Amino acid sequence: MIDRLKAPGDVVVASFVVLTLCCFAATAIGYNGMILRSEDGGETWFRQYAGTNAHLFGMSFVDANIGTLVGRWGTVVRTTDGGETWVRQSLGGSYNIGNVHFSDADHGAIV
């Protein structure tokens, strides 16, 4: 499910946002599972849902489609279709994860 945000009327307020740019797509993450995506250089944004309300702290995209988000309570979610769908990954803990980096689709580090 994707909700389109209409500019300039809709406002999303977040006290924590991480933004990444990759291949002309931009993704912003933050508190309460917030994921926003733009595919037109930030002109318009739409909300994506990863099935979590956990605060998201870090992300890594290797291209416009393949990305991993990490956050509170051991949250790790991954997409291979630009965020249309997200799949939860399990690390077996409930600790906070602050950052992630993938060098390609299959090799990365989570800290």
Side-chain angles (χ1 to χ4, degrees):
M1 173 198 287
I2 297 176
D3 292 334
R4 295 257 173 216
L5 301 177
K6 301 174 191 86
D10 289 349
V11 176
V12 175
V13 177
S15 56
F16 176 81
V17 174
V18 175
L19 177 67
T20 188
L21 302 170
C22 180
C23 311
F24 301 103
T27 303
I29 61 171
Y31 284 157
N32 299 318
M34 182 193 72
I35 306 169
L36 299 176
R37 180 147 171 117
S38 175
E39 295 178 350
D40 60 8
E43 187 70 26
T44 58
W45 293 85
F46 54 92
R47 180 131 190 205
Q48 297 180 325
Y49 296 92
T52 183
N53 288 326
H55 300 337
L56 300 171
F57 301 134
M59 72 179 133
S60 178
F61 277 81
V62 297
D63 62 28
N65 292 314
I66 300 172
T68 304
L69 311 178
V70 297
R72 195 174 200 179
W73 306 311
T75 299
V76 179
V77 291
R78 184 168 170 87
T79 185
T80 58
D81 59 12
E84 290 289 325
T85 59
W86 294 90
V87 177
R88 275 185 152 320
Q89 308 289 304
S90 177
L91 295 180
S94 61
Y95 38 83
N96 293 340
I97 303 170
N99 210 344
V100 59
H101 176 76
F102 275 79
S103 56
D104 62 40
D106 298 316
H107 301 93
I110 294 175
V111 294

